[in-house]
Amino acid sequence: AQSVTQLDSHVSVSEGTPVLLRCNYSSSYSPSLFWYVQHPNKGLQLLLKYTSAATLVKGINGFEAEFKKSETSFHLTKPSAHMSDAAEYFCVVSDKAKNFVFGPGTRLSVLP
Amino acid sequence: KAGVTQTPRYLIKTRGQQVTLSCSPISGHRSVSWYQQTPGQGLQFLFEYFSETQRNKGNFPGRFSGRQFSNSRSEMNVSTLELGDSALYLCASSDRQGAADTQYFGPGTRLTVL
């Protein structure tokens, strides 16, 4: 069965510094992977997705993620954090039935 | 295109009552999935409907049910509400095509059971 581990439940960075949110997955086949962001009291917004076309995936708002099969990782990065990036981030793996399996989430705080 | 809409946005019920939540997918999307989000359990898959048929089901009791109409709109029903059913219920739609079936989420319905 597919599963997702997000190694940090909370990450705190200063505005203007890099962001790294870590995600490891377990899958018995080549998966599709996603990152979603959820702002308080809002639904989930797609940041980016990996579909085996390219290992480095660029998303919205300056975020990108790199798929590393050997490490079963799909970490999310951004060179410079903005206050508006403060939110909950979810790493998602799509299983064989194309259902979403969510990680537990990482709460990102951005300090002024 | 308009996004996924969910109604109502907020709901307060008491134990033992039942509730129906509604979801309108993005135009042209035939798949609708439902998720429950709680602080303790995170995001959990409830079920998916595709062309009016339930295609997948998560590990929830039979009190949770749903249906989909011919226009792809979906409803989710929870009967005999329990305090633990308090959660944010999210609906997502997909066109179910391609290697990665991106799901687009609505804003959710916040259900509080007293």
Side-chain angles (χ1 to χ4, degrees):
Chain A
Q2 283 69 38
S3 66
V4 178
T5 303
Q6 291 184 244
L7 297 158
D8 306 295
S9 60
H10 182 215
V11 170
S12 186
V13 301
S14 297
E15 192 174 21
T17 64
V19 175
L20 170 64
L21 305 182
R22 297 182 292 170
C23 171
N24 287 88
Y25 68 92
S26 169
S27 177
S28 55
Y29 68 106
S30 185
S32 295
L33 294 158
F34 305 78
W35 275 98
Y36 281 82
V37 61
Q38 185 177 35
H39 288 91
N41 299 313
K42 296 284 181 67
L44 291 136
Q45 180 185 19
L46 176 69
L47 280 176
L48 49 81
K49 64 182 179 184
Y50 166 76
T51 59
S52 78
T55 56
L56 183 62
V57 182
K58 293 189 185 298
I60 62 170
N61 301 334
F63 285 95
E64 62 181 38
E66 185 172 9
F67 173 72
K68 292 186 176 180
K69 186 175 180 179
S70 60
E71 299 176 10
T72 60
S73 69
F74 190 56
H75 300 335
L76 182 70
T77 60
K78 182 173 181 178
S80 177
H82 293 167
M83 297 295 290
S84 60
D85 294 329
E88 188 92 16
Y89 291 79
F90 294 92
C91 182
V92 181
V93 63
S94 177
D95 66 15
K96 265 191 177 180
K98 298 187 178 180
N99 293 320
F100 276 16
V101 176
F102 282 83
T106 297
R107 183 164 61 90
L108 175 65
S109 296
V110 182
L111 307 174
Chain B
K1 281 185 180 178
V4 177
T5 58
Q6 292 187 246
T7 56
R9 292 293 311 278
Y10 302 92
L11 210 46
I12 299 175
K13 293 286 187 180
T14 56
R15 279 183 300 174
Q17 287 187 309
Q18 77 164 15
V19 67
T20 299
L21 312 181
S22 180
C23 171
S24 292
I26 291 171
S27 178
H29 287 188
R30 291 191 292 164
S31 167
V32 174
S33 297
W34 288 90
Y35 296 84
Q36 181 195 65
Q37 185 178 23
T38 59
Q41 299 298 318
L43 275 147
Q44 295 184 284
F45 171 72
L46 280 155
F47 31 66
E48 181 206 2
Y49 285 85
F50 181 81
S51 294
E52 301 180 65
T53 302
Q54 187 180 88
R55 191 154 69 171
N56 291 297
K57 191 177 190 304
N59 189 24
F60 277 81
R63 300 186 297 107
F64 292 82
S65 63
R67 59 178 176 168
Q68 187 179 33
F69 302 93
S70 58
N71 61 357
S72 293
R73 189 178 70 85
S74 177
E75 288 182 347
M76 189 191 90
N77 185 76
V78 188
S79 62
T80 320
L81 283 165
E82 300 176 359
L83 294 178
D85 297 333
S86 293
L88 181 67
Y89 290 89
L90 292 164
C91 159
S93 78
S94 170
D95 62 7
R96 277 297 183 186
Q97 293 183 18
D101 295 331
T102 302
Q103 296 192 19
Y104 298 89
F105 286 80
T109 294
R110 171 77 61 185
L111 172 64
T112 302
V113 182
L114 302 175

